[in-house]
Amino acid sequence: MKRPFKEFSAGNHSTATTFAALVLVALVPAVCVLWFMILAMRNERLAVQDRLTDVYLTHVSSLQRQLTAFWQGRQTALSSARNDSPAELFAAVVRSNLADSVVVYDRSGKVAYSALGSIETPAEEKGDWALARELEFQKTNYLAAAEAYGRVAQANQDAHAKARARQAQAGCLLKAGRKEEALARLTELAGDPGLRNAISAQSTLIVPNAQLLILKLVAGAEAGRADFSARRQQALDDLVKRLNDYTDADFPSSQRRFLMGEVTALAPQAAIFPTRAAEELAAEYLEHNPALPTEPRLQRAPIANVWRLPSADRTIVALFREDGLKKELATLIDSLALPDVRVTVLSPGEPFASSTPVAPQEAGEFLPGWRLGLSFKESDFFATLSARQTRFYLWTGLLVVLIIAMVALLVARYVAAQMRLARLKNELVSTVSHELKTPLASIRALVDTLAAGRFRDEQQLQEYLQLIAKENLRLCHLIENFLTFSRMDRGKQRFRFEALAPAAVVAAAVDALKKRLASAHCNFEVRVEPDLPLIRGDADALSTVLINLLDNACKYTGDEKRIGVRAFAEGRQVCFEVADNGIGLDRRDARKIFDRFYQVDQSLTRQRGGCGLGLSIVKFIVKAHAGTVEVQSEPGQGSTFRVKIPLAKSQPVPETNQPGEHL
Ligand code: ADP
């Protein structure tokens, strides 16, 4: 029957209860901490959201104010741009990028630009005019018609009539196949400063049209001719300059637009008209005959994706393309936005997909229907922000749980130690009382027998006395072990270290047990190497070690005992070896026998005396000597215990291990 300690079922039950209570004590606060932590983390996220929402709403209202201020500024800038003519105003606004285009009204609310130029009544056609027209319509003699127009031009003092006659003359020359002459007439016409503002019957300026014709005529093979190309260049330069010149109040905007398109097609490199897109936009806008807007705000124009804004004095309507407007607003807002936030400008009805809890906000009174959508540059900004705080809670919580776990562990270990101590004490009391009872009972019976004179002869008397002495020795040995254990347990065991001869230690132990070892059924052998170096140790304590080992060797061997003690040097140690041919130990027991009160087979120990303390005392003493103890054993094959004790200081290391000498 293998049993390390006596079973205490009630004790086991209380141990389980104690540990269950401990687990509960540790678990409940840990769970509470975790619960609070989760709550705190959730609240933190909401709190962060609320805080940030407040911050961003404040930011949005600041943006709204700034946008309003921006548009007010834009309106004022539009009004103050009102200087000379409507055409100049148009050009100034467009060139300064105040708007994509602009329509200028006069005080009475009529469109002043871009609109048709001033229409003059054409001069009355009479005399040669009629003849020339007649010849031209007959289509038979264009040359004669051209001559007739030439005469009209010569005779007429009116600039408009003169220019028209020249234009018609050039036309007839062309029809007659006289291209070169036609070109000469057109160049004359274009170069005459007096005819610069002459207007055709269709209310267009004649000279720019003549210049366009020159460009068209010299577009082909003739362009290679030096005189032609010079004329063409001259016409092109003049025309481009004039088209970009808005001080020329008489230039009808529709003609300007038309010519810009034509010239761009003919000479895309030279024709750069920064206001062309604005002209087109204004014209498109005016095609819808829009009423002058009353609201001083940005509103949709009747053209798709175009917005309009009247100036403060309502004499100018600025036009904005939606794309450009959004870009401009985005740039403005970007320069004002907070670092973590992206503000998207949303035109009316534009959807906004964002996980942000802040809904898009109005963009201000100047931009009715427009909204500002807030999103965060980091994908989940709230999560990131609250994650920082959450991480703090998490670590704090985990730390608290860890501390609780550690404290619980320490308490558990302390409780376990206390319980083990209590159990050891119970063991001790029961073992001591039992172990003392047996020899005392034997001695008492023997003494009673002797006292009653119940012995046959002197020899039997001696036998009884020897039995009494043996029981007494066992008692002394037991008590000695108890006392040593008690001192060990209380930390009161003191050692007197000195340089000792290993042979003396062996001799003392053998002497203490000589009677048992010298019995007839015991083959006992001692081998101690000669000239062993001195060891550092307490003579009594080391003898106790060997006595305990030898005592066990006697106890745990059968009837035919073979026991040996050896002492030999091993490096800077001396090894004491106690070997027997006893019952041996399996590997598991060999590991545990040095524990207090551990007994492999308690019934056997009871028979032979012992309380499971001998080897724990051996281990304690050897450890105090900075030595080691080990056992090598096989069940049924006997055991060998080896105790190694360090040499005393200044002892030379012996060179070789000689075979031992018999004591
Ligand atoms: P005990 O007083 O019971 O002998 P020990 O501490 O001296 O206590 O020994 C512990 C146990 O180790 C013993 O109960 C015994 O089972 C086992 N033991 C000790 N020495 C030997 C040995 N030489 N051979 C076999 N078993 C041994």
Side-chain angles (χ1 to χ4, degrees), residues 359-425:
Q361 302 292 309
E362 289 296 325
E365 57 177 289
F366 265 86
L367 298 160
W370 288 69
R371 286 158 311 142
L372 300 175
L374 284 179
S375 53
F376 299 105
K377 288 181 182 162
E378 281 180 50
S379 57
D380 192 353
F381 183 68
F382 280 121
T384 321
L385 205 74
S386 57
R388 260 178 252 156
Q389 203 62 25
T390 304
R391 228 175 291 140
F392 171 73
Y393 283 123
L394 199 75
W395 282 115
T396 315
L398 286 179
L399 201 76
V400 171
V401 170
L402 202 77
I403 290 171
I404 291 173
M406 274 167 63
V407 169
L409 205 76
L410 287 176
V411 170
R413 282 181 63 169
Y414 177 74
V415 169
Q418 289 300 314
M419 288 173 77
R420 198 159 156 253
L421 202 69
R423 213 160 45 214
L424 282 180
K425 280 181 183 159

Side-chain angles (χ1 to χ4, degrees), residues 23 162 184 189 201 544 624:
V23 167
K162 208 175 175 99
L189 172 60
T544 305

Side-chain angles (χ1 to χ4, degrees), residues 200-242:
S200 70
Q202 293 78 34
S203 299
T204 57
L205 287 169
I206 293 169
V207 169
N209 285 349
Q211 284 166 326
L212 177 69
L213 198 54
I214 296 172
L215 292 184
K216 282 183 173 167
L217 287 176
V218 192
E222 298 85 348
R225 273 177 55 178
D227 54 339
F228 276 21
S229 84
R231 279 183 209 170
R232 183 180 190 274
Q233 194 57 47
Q234 181 68 44
L236 180 64
D237 291 349
D238 277 1
L239 193 53
V240 170
K241 195 165 163 232
R242 193 160 181 196

